[in-house]
Structure formats: structure tokens, C-alpha cells
């Protein structure tokens, strides 16, 4: 464990990282992530246990950036202590969150069971994820020519992030959990197309987390 927190990985740093490469199957020992993940001592138990649960498998430097961004965001939001908001289980068009997340939440977010929920079918999970994630995006977000959400825009103070401004145990943590379980399933399949699709989602989530964090900066 390093003596202090690692420097925050900015979006520009993330974009400069190497492409995700094939890693050993989850059953084999994995090296520590290339970006150190440090949870502040003052962080609540739910964040410490969740980070531990969602880093059991090393998914590479891009995913490590997601977890690091989550920790910085929750720290800036004071871990949701003054806010009982929660990320919606369903949003526009009654788009529900993926079932694997409901199972993780029922299991105490890794505290009640040693067994993690598994994405049994990427063909089922990915459309669930896309629908839930897309439904939560604020109206001002734009897509690029490839149909992906743009992550090349500078953050604006006047942006309203809507329902994603939900912090604490019932907040944006669920998004990180979804990316993690998706990544574990992709890692086990060694499929380049699935890996690329997951990595695009990872970079989009980092951009959103950093954007949410920017709202706390003066």
C-alpha cells in the first residue's frame, strides 16, 4: 500500500493509456493494478468493502481509473452523508438496471456472500446495461459519429448531471459495480470485440465520474 493517494488520473491521462490487452483468466493470480487504488482511512465501511469486492480481479489500468475516480468523487461528496439520494433502478422508458446489480445489492454489496454475481450472458447483459446507462444521461450529452457518447468536451459548470448526482451507498457506486461484473465476464471470454466494447464503456464512465467530481471544485 503506497504512503499516499496516487495523482488523480485525468481524462487526458486516461486517453493516453495503452489499449486493454488480454489478461490471464480470473482463476489465476493477478498482479496489482497499474494505477494504485487507495481508499482514505476516513472513508465509511461500505466504500472500503465495496472497493475490495470490486477489485478482486485485476481488469487493467482503465478499470483502475474508474475505481480511483469513484473514490475521489465520493470523497468530494462526503460519501453522501448529507444526501439520501439514490441512483434509479429504472429511468426513462422504464429501463431497468441490469439484474446482476440487483443481485449484488441484495447480497450486501459483497458483505453477505463470498460468491459474486456472474454475468451469465453478455448478449443479455450488454443491452440491459446500454439501456440503463443511456436512460440516465443528461439531455445535453451528445453522441459522436460512431454513436458513442462524446468524452472530448471540457466540463461546464452550468451542466446539470440530473439523476447521476447520487452519492453514497445507493448512488453511482452501482455503475462501477456494473462495469466490474461486465469486465470479469469479458475477461473470461478473451473476445476482442467484446473487450473493445467494454473498454469504450469504461472510458465513458470515467469521463462521467470526473465530470461529477468537477461540480465540487470551486
Amino acid at each position: 500500500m503506497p504512503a499516499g493517494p496516487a495523482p488523480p488520473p485525468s481524462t487526458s491521462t486516461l486517453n493516453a493509456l495503452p489499449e486493454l490487452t488480454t489478461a490471464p483468466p480470473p482463476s489465476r493470480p493477478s498482479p496489482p493494478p497499474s494505477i494504485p487504488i487507495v481508499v482514505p482511512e476516513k472513508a465509511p465501511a461500505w466504500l472500503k468493502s465495496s472497493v475490495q469486492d470490486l477489485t478482486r480481479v485485476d481488469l487493467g489500468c482503465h478499470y483502475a481509473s474508474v475505481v480511483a475516480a469513484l473514490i475521489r468523487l465520493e470523497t468530494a461528496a462526503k460519501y453522501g452523508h448529507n444526501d439520501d439520494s439514490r441512483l434509479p433502478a429504472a429511468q426513462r422508458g422504464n429501463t431497468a438496471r441490469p439484474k446482476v446489480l440487483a443481485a449484488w445489492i441484495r447480497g450486501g454489496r459483497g458483505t453477505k456472500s463470498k460468491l459474486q454475481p456472474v454475468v451469465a450472458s453478455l448478449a443479455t447483459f450488454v443491452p440491459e446495461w446500454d439501456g440503463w446507462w443511456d436512460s440516465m444521461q443528461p439531455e445535453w450529452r451528445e453522441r459522436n459519429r460512431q454513436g458513442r457518447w462524446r468524452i472530448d468536451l471540457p466540463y461546464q459548470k452550468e451542466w446539470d448531471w440530473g439523476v447521476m448526482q447520487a452519492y453514497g451507498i445507493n448512488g453511482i457506486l452501482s455503475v462501477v459495480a456494473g462495469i466490474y461484473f461486465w469486465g470479469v465476464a469479458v475477461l473470461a471470454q478473451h473476445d476482442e470485440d467484446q473487450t473493445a466494447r467494454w473498454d469504450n464503456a469504461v472510458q465513458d464512465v470515467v469521463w462521467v465520474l470526473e465530470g461529477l467530481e468537477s461540480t465540487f471544485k470551486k
Side-chain angles (χ1 to χ4, degrees):
M1 182 73 70
S10 65
T11 301
S12 58
T13 299
L14 177 64
N15 290 337
L17 290 172
E19 291 298 319
L20 193 69
T21 55
T22 302
S27 58
R28 299 180 187 176
S30 298
S34 50
I35 296 177
I37 297 172
V38 180
V39 183
E41 279 296 323
K42 64 178 182 180
W46 64 262
L47 182 59
K48 293 178 180 178
S49 63
S50 294
V51 168
Q52 183 177 25
D53 196 45
L54 300 177
T55 54
R56 292 189 196 178
V57 177
D58 178 18
L59 297 180
C61 52
H62 285 191
Y63 175 71
S65 293
V66 170
V67 180
L70 172 71
I71 294 170
R72 295 197 312 274
L73 173 59
E74 290 293 349
T75 301
K78 299 181 180 179
Y79 312 106
H81 287 165
N82 300 319
D83 189 353
D84 61 358
S85 62
R86 59 185 60 216
L87 210 63
Q91 189 51 15
R92 293 191 296 269
N94 198 31
T95 305
R97 68 187 170 206
K99 297 179 180 61
V100 68
L101 292 180
W104 183 65
I105 292 170
R106 285 196 305 271
R109 299 170 182 82
T111 61
K112 295 180 181 178
S113 173
K114 294 182 180 179
L115 298 176
Q116 289 189 328
V118 174
V119 173
S121 169
L122 287 172
T124 299
F125 174 85
V126 174
E128 288 180 345
W129 167 269
D130 285 345
W132 186 55
W133 178 248
D134 291 352
S135 74
M136 293 186 293
Q137 300 308 306
E139 297 292 342
W140 49 259
R141 281 209 79 182
E142 303 174 355
R143 294 184 187 269
N144 61 22
R145 292 183 179 180
Q146 290 73 42
R148 296 195 295 267
W149 293 111
R150 291 185 62 182
I151 59 173
D152 58 342
L153 301 174
Y155 302 121
Q156 304 296 325
K157 274 290 185 181
E158 64 271 18
W159 282 352
D160 179 3
W161 291 85
V163 297
M164 287 194 292
Q165 290 181 291
Y167 312 113
I169 193 170
N170 294 312
I172 204 75
L173 169 67
S174 294
V175 167
V176 177
I179 284 290
Y180 174 74
F181 296 126
W182 182 1
V184 171
V186 168
L187 182 64
Q189 291 198 8
H190 304 288
D191 183 295
E192 290 185 5
D193 290 339
Q194 292 286 357
T195 298
R197 187 167 186 176
W198 174 76
D199 197 45
N200 287 333
V202 166
Q203 294 185 55
D204 192 35
V205 169
V206 170
W207 189 85
V208 168
L209 292 176
E210 291 190 339
L212 290 168
E213 182 194 2
S214 74
T215 65
F216 293 93
K217 297 177 180 178
K218 295 181 179 180

